[in-house]
Amino acid sequence: MSSMEALLKDESTRNVRRLLKVLILITIAGAAVSSRLFSVIRFESIIHEFDPWFNFRASKYLVKNGFYNFWDWFDDRTWHPLGRVTGGTLYPGLMVTSGAIYHILRMLSMPVDIRNICVLLAPAFSGLTALATYLFTKEMKDESAGLLAAAFIGIAPGYISRSVAGSYDNEAIAIFLLMFTFYLWIKALKDGSAFWGALCALFYFYMVAAWGGYVFITNMIPLHAFVLVLMGRYSPRLYVAYTSWFALGTLGSMQVPFVGFLPIRSSEHMAALGVFGLLQLVGFVEFVRYQVPSRQFKTLLKALIFIVFALSSAILVLLTVSGVIAPWSGRFYSLWDTGYAKIHIPIIASVSEHQPTAWPAFFFDLEMLIWLFPAGIYMCFSTLQDQHVFVIIYGIMASYFAGVMVRLMLTLTPVVCVSAAIALSNILDVYLSIKTPTTPTVGASSADDRKEKKPRVNILSAGKDSIVGIYSKASNIAVIAAFSIYLFVFVLHCTWVTSNAYSSPSVVLASRLPDGSQHIIDDYREAYYWLRKNTPDDAKIMSWWDYGYQIGGMADRTTLVDNNTWNNTHIATVGKAMSSREEVAYPILRQHDVDYVLVIFGGLLGYSGDDINKFLWMIRIAEGVWPDEVKERDFFTPRGEYRVDDAATDTMKNSLMYKMSYYNYQSLFPAGQAQDRVRNAKLPAVGPTLSILDEAFTSENWIVRIYKVKDLDNLGRDHVSAAAFGAGKKKSKKTKAGKGAQRKLRVV
Amino acid sequence: MPSKKNLSTPSTSTSTTTTTSSSASATAAATATPTNPFTILGGIFKNYSRSTPQRTKLIDAFLGFLVITGVLQFAYCVVAGNYPFNAFLAGFSATVGQFVLTASLRIQSNPANKSEFASVSPERAFADFVFCSIILHLFCTNFIN
Amino acid sequence: MRLQPQLDMASRKAFLLFFVSLFVSWVSAAPLTGGRILAVIEERSDNAKYSQFLMDLRGRGYDVKLESAKKDTLALLEHGEKAWDHVILFPPKSKGYGPALTPQKLLDFTKLGGNILVLTSPSSIPEQIRELARELDIGLPPKDYTVVDHFNYDTVSKSEKHDVILATRPAVSSAVHNCFSGTQDDLIAFRGAGHTLGNGPLLVPILTAPRTAYAYDSKEDFAYAQDPWAAGTQMQLVSAMQARNNARITLVGSVDMFSNEFFNMKVQRPGSTESRKTANKEFCKDIAAWTFGEKGIVKVNAIRHYLSNEPNAPVNPNMYRIKNDVTFEIELSEYNIDRWAPFKVSSGDSLQLEFTMLDPYYRVPLLPASTSSNYTTYTTSFKIPDQHGVFAFRVNYKRPYLTYIDEKYSVTVRHFAHDEYTRSWDISGAWVWIAGIAVTITGWIGFCALWLWSAPVAAKAGLKKTE
Amino acid sequence: MHSTTSSRMSFWTFFVLAFLSLAAAASGVWTFEDAQAVVAAKGGKADAYKFSPTKPVKGAITLGSRDILKVSLTVKEGSQAGRPHQAFLLAQEPESKVETFFPLSVKELSGKAKIDLSHKDLPAFLLTAPSLSLSLVLGSFGESAASIVTIGNIKPSLDPTAKALFEKQKQKDLGEGATVYKAKDEIRHIFRADPQSPPKIITLFFLLSVLAGLGGLFIVWFPILGGNLSHLPKALKAAPVSHPFFFASLLSLEGIFFMYYTQWNLFQTLAGMAVVGPVALFSGSRALREVRARREKGER
């Protein structure tokens, strides 16, 4: 025990302690990385779900054609025939990062396949995230808290969900950048150094290049500054830090082609601009206040500030209304009003990760942190310095947004980890103090000497003179034991969630056979490779936008729409084709020179994420553009049910999607026994007929079905009658030419 | 005490931009207090020119120059339209950025703020200033195309 | 990676053209689209009736096989390939043609590019032909409905029935490249049934009944045509369907047209004084020639597009940039009986180039630039629209009596690359802001120098300022 | 176009006259007499138009949607009444020459012929036409020459809703025929207008004033505020290497930016900065240490 005291307090052993910290951090990083490798072990080293496939494709393009070609990339393999100015409409940060890594490894004569880099990028950066979180928390409390926070963020499912090996998405690096930018901001604010401010701006720039979520930083930092000003905590340090960050950061963010002039134009960025102006004013006024210590003048100036501020904000509103500044983007609205998207922008509402969060999700993703979180916030309140204000604001905002959108759980997780760590380390400080009341106990476990002016105020051991604290071994042991159990359970939970919930690459599905062994369902890749091998290289594939990126990535074929949903009308066109009758759909298919149509059908396997279940969104989106041609109502039975069995409406039964899904399906079953296992409905005895499409391919479990679009009839007949004739059906004989008005005239 | 006075100098620099506000203050002053705001401003000015070290004045001159350049560019944009817009942004934000950086330098290297900037000596401040400016110039040259 | 498709598409096209030309040179003895004709004729005795017509075909290098429809080895296709290049169906004596010639089989034959010449007579229009006609949207009259015309009948053949109609060739039109309007005052003797056509664009009338003609039931209504089946210009005597794959099916209402009798007949209009020989020989020859692809065959020799104002720009690139100036060229030949000749667009018509993405952004006429011994080069130039995307050069030239030309050549139109915008110093508007940056930087350098090396002169400065 | 029809009409009458005279020589000619066309309006009031082989009805008969046009006449072979094998009323749309026929019912002996014509007898295509020219064709076997006579024009009058309906019907009949193969009308893309630079004079004015600002700065610095570089020798003495290097590296950095602006690409620029940056860093730190020394000596 005494040796331990020595280790913890003695000056001579500082290096040992530093070494210890480094070791701990490395272990944490190791844990963070390794726990994200489940997916590779369970399945294989493969890119996951949807967006990553595009990022992967883009990275390959970058590595192959170099940076400038990537920048000018016009992609004619997607959004046919519109094409996409890909280079100008993506956040290049991720690809450039992996591209750089690729080339560096090359330089070190370690040729690594770009795919492996992409697969393992997210885990690697999660290690860095842990480091960034450590630094951030260190600024908040002390190193022990930092270490705890690093450990938490390392394994918190809320973050793992987006950063397992293979989920090669912007968030993979964005969270690291988020935390590091915040750390630099706090640093710059504390020291009032333009240097740190500039670094913060640089990393902000990197963040902007990497993820659309940069808007969160763009508003968090100004908000922090604004709150500080309101709290009367304006200081030259704030001025220096903020202005240097804003001047460089904004200019930097405008270098990213996709962002362009937004920082000047769009409302999301106006807060930063406003606060910048405000700080200039406040700065000015502060100095003049020093000049003339007359009370009236002070009040006068106060008035002045608010007049000017009101004035500028009024101008801002005016500009927004007059349209000089772009109004808030739809996604942003849906943050404030969850109902908004459903009504106005179905395309956004349809995305699963834009749904509001279910309460259990919080516990599922954060486990015990979620109840330590408020405690941590409270701690911050109790020792309220500038940086703590930041944590508090961050906590409040993030938890609101996380409640609104599932995906924003991601931005909540770090702050939860931080404040939980603060709370827990406070507890440990108290209960691990192996002290006798002779000497006052201040943060025993964190015995490092920090260059902080004010002594760290610790709420649980506030008031130095009166010795408050817990000294009975029993209670110490009890509490510590309890918490170690909590932590233990936490680790168990995280591992379990990671391995079971977040590690499956939705490209390959796993199912358990009766005997409990794992069975891999590989229909997607089967179908995509079929496309790759059996269709001409310039074939155009029409499918719902969810599968666009995968078709582009795995099948390497041209698609009409994909997950980059930039053109609502084009998507609506596909939706219309899917939801209308054959003879209506056919001209659309011809016009977009579609060769193949691909649908996902889970009916046989009971795979619920199939197109019939997404169908309503297609209809809604199409209805948004052609309200009088596609009507959602027509797809519901008079009693308002969405059915596929006998009771389905004719509109439903005649829709292309329905026909493609159930074409020939009945042939699998004894007559009249056809069963849809997803909607568990008994299908009509006679299956749908297709006249404009030929079935080209159906995967093993019928999940993916591909149809070829027929060419125009050689004799200019419509497909239905042509098919009828082919089947040997006779037309009604009509040798008598009609009389009078009935007589058919040739007028061309 | 004089050190404190130094702080007022941005008034020269900022007053060019916020003439409207100062006049507003004048009216408000008339309502708020009998003291004539113009005399106050004059006092400030005299105070400034008397008790500001020449080195600081050099900085202030630079600040003033930046403000004028910025105002000119903005006026040009208003008069002649903002095509090409990126050039306008590059030019204008170059001056604005340079202004705030220089202002930061001025604040940091100000003896009055020793307490605030414990870790930043004037030379360190200058180094930061150079570092930031270089980045600023890089961004601007890249942006103007 | 994405250049690949375009490339091998181009190569495919080139190969095709090469193959076609090869084929042409090889087959130059025999007709362009092959010489094997199956003439389905019931008994050999009839052979004599049409000998002139058949001889004429043989004379033009066809080898004509006469077969009975009843023959059980008769087949249009052998292992999925055409067994014949063309088929002539003479009207059968019995009710039908038999299993070898069901409409389905006939259509499969056309799918593979086989041409069919269908000859009918009022007395025998077999059910297969009726079904076929129904598919083609051609209306055939019931049995025994004959066409008569009390204005243009032949007075020489002392027929009381007025059923030998004297039709004239279709009028010459500036808009339509009509292979059948030969010498205008020809008289064509016709005895048989008429038919009506639907509005489909693939159907073309070849010989239209006179305005005053009508079809009546020659077995019932002797005294008075209460209920004529069709009449006037709405009724066709000879017409054709050219399928999308350019296979041709010609339906003739009168088999007698092709008989030696009619070939040699001298005819006279009511009212006119002198009698003339019929032009049936020539006209039937025209019909056969067109149906079997000796006439009205237009082919694309080559397609070229390139940047107009660059001397050595690559030909047929896969990618252009918005606002490029491009030139498009297409070489067209027309086959005429035995050789390829330059194709000439008729004066009232125009060959058009579309530059389209979803909708055409341009539809401009292609004008003849140069003419060689066997093709004409049509060309046009335009500025690519300021809209990026996958566009297509499309020459969609479909005209009656001519094979369809529908060439679609898709190219990618990209946006400006980062270094293709006009540089800021070229835009006078930007000078002020460039200068702004310049002075800021120079000022900054000066300031650095001052900050580093300026010596304080406190007092003097103070004085200067105050006064 | 109306004029053209009338001219065509006169042509036909002329033709017929010539034809009749010619045929008369040979034998009888199919013709008709006491012919009239009566439009029986719904209101019961009926107005009759008389016409004969030589004199067609002047002007156009308007045929309302409920009206019935009753044409009645007596057919004559030569001079005595008879029944021809062919007795049709032809209705032709003069533009497209599209024509349809209506057989008359003729009494065997009296030769009395009549036909009723109303909207429901006319195909949609003709019904929507502005005007139709009616002609009568009579012909039969035997010697007597057939004859065709234009007897006048009718104007089918449609109320807009009905017209729209028939137009739709017409399109339906056309079917694919709507895409008739012929040259389509020309299309040319219209480009967006390029942004314009402001008049040069304004630009130059502002340009000069900006440059003047720089001049002003130096004036304010050196003469007025008495800025100077007189510490330079001292600095050089104290740190002979680092000061020049520092300043040179700053200059060269700006030079690199200029090159980037004019011709270099990003990577060349970054490489250049990577070379010059460290120099600036080290020499800078040294130089500033020297400056600090001066400050602490109180020389600044």
Side-chain angles (χ1 to χ4, degrees), chain A residues 265-309:
Chain A
R265 289 268 170 83
S266 84
S267 312
E268 286 93 320
H269 301 74
M270 282 306 135
L273 196 57
V275 171
F276 180 70
L278 177 68
L279 277 184
Q280 301 301 333
L281 277 173
V282 174
F284 165 49
V285 169
E286 283 291 324
F287 302 141
V288 180
R289 171 189 286 162
Y290 278 121
Q291 285 305 80
V292 187
S294 103
R295 182 158 305 288
Q296 298 91 336
F297 198 61
K298 254 188 255 169
T299 52
L300 179 94
L301 284 169
K302 281 230 181 63
L304 167 81
I305 299 174
F306 286 114
I307 290 169
V308 173
F309 191 58

Side-chain angles (χ1 to χ4, degrees), chain C residues 293-307:
Chain C
E294 297 172 40
K295 283 182 165 187
I297 302 278
V298 181
K299 88 166 182 217
V300 178
N301 284 1
I303 286 182
R304 283 185 298 278
H305 55 84
Y306 48 83
L307 291 173

Side-chain angles (χ1 to χ4, degrees), chain D residues 260-274:
Chain D
Y260 179 43
Y261 175 49
T262 45
Q263 53 221 40
W264 286 5
N265 71 23
L266 188 58
F267 298 106
Q268 293 164 307
T269 314
L270 290 180
M273 289 178 73

Side-chain angles (χ1 to χ4, degrees), chain A residues 409-429:
Chain A
M409 182 67 81
L410 197 59
T411 51
L412 174 65
T413 311
V415 69
V416 169
C417 293
V418 169
S419 51
I422 293 173
L424 189 56
S425 84
N426 259 320
I427 294 170
L428 294 183
D429 286 351

Side-chain angles (χ1 to χ4, degrees), chain C residues 214 224 352 363 423-424 455, chain D residues 85 104 184-185 224 228 261:
Chain C
Y214 64 100
Y224 168 46
Q352 292 172 316
R363 190 188 291 126
R423 297 305 303 269
S424 47
Chain D
H85 191 264
L104 282 70
K184 306 196 189 71
D185 34 12
I224 298 178
N228 55 49
Y261 175 49

Side-chain angles (χ1 to χ4, degrees), chain A residues 434-509:
Chain A
I434 36 189
K435 272 273 190 294
T436 49
T438 51
T439 58
T441 154
V442 177
S445 70
S446 64
D448 62 318
D449 49 334
R450 317 244 325 282
K451 306 160 292 308
E452 238 188 54
K453 297 160 280 329
K454 323 171 197 56
R456 198 186 69 264
V457 190
N458 182 332
I459 181 61
L460 285 184
S461 57
K464 301 283 151 299
D465 44 340
S466 66
I467 297 161
V468 181
I470 297 86
Y471 303 111
S472 79
K473 296 268 174 295
S475 53
N476 282 1
I477 290 165
V479 172
I480 298 307
F483 269 93
S484 14
I485 289 169
Y486 289 149
L487 287 169
F488 190 67
V489 173
F490 174 65
V491 172
L492 281 184
H493 173 83
C494 293
T495 328
W496 180 81
V497 170
T498 310
S499 70
N500 290 359
Y502 290 142
S503 290
S504 102
S506 61
V507 177
V508 182
L509 308 170

Side-chain angles (χ1 to χ4, degrees), chain A residues 38 67 72 87 126 145 171 198 210 217 225 228 238 243 333 416 420 463 475 481 491 498 541 626 680 699 717:
Chain A
F38 273 113
F67 176 71
D72 299 333
S126 68
E171 291 88 336
I217 303 183
L228 287 180
L238 179 59
T243 50
Y333 272 125
V416 169
S475 53
V491 172
T498 310
I541 318 291
W626 293 280
N680 42 39
S699 64
R717 302 166 294 182

Side-chain angles (χ1 to χ4, degrees), chain A residues 236 290, chain B residues 1-7 106-117:
Chain A
Y290 278 121
Chain B
M1 185 56 199
S3 59
K4 278 189 179 170
K5 297 221 170 67
N6 304 345
L7 294 172
R106 188 184 191 286
I107 296 173
Q108 287 170 315
S109 57
N110 185 327
N113 300 342
K114 266 252 171 295
S115 61
E116 288 282 356
F117 302 99

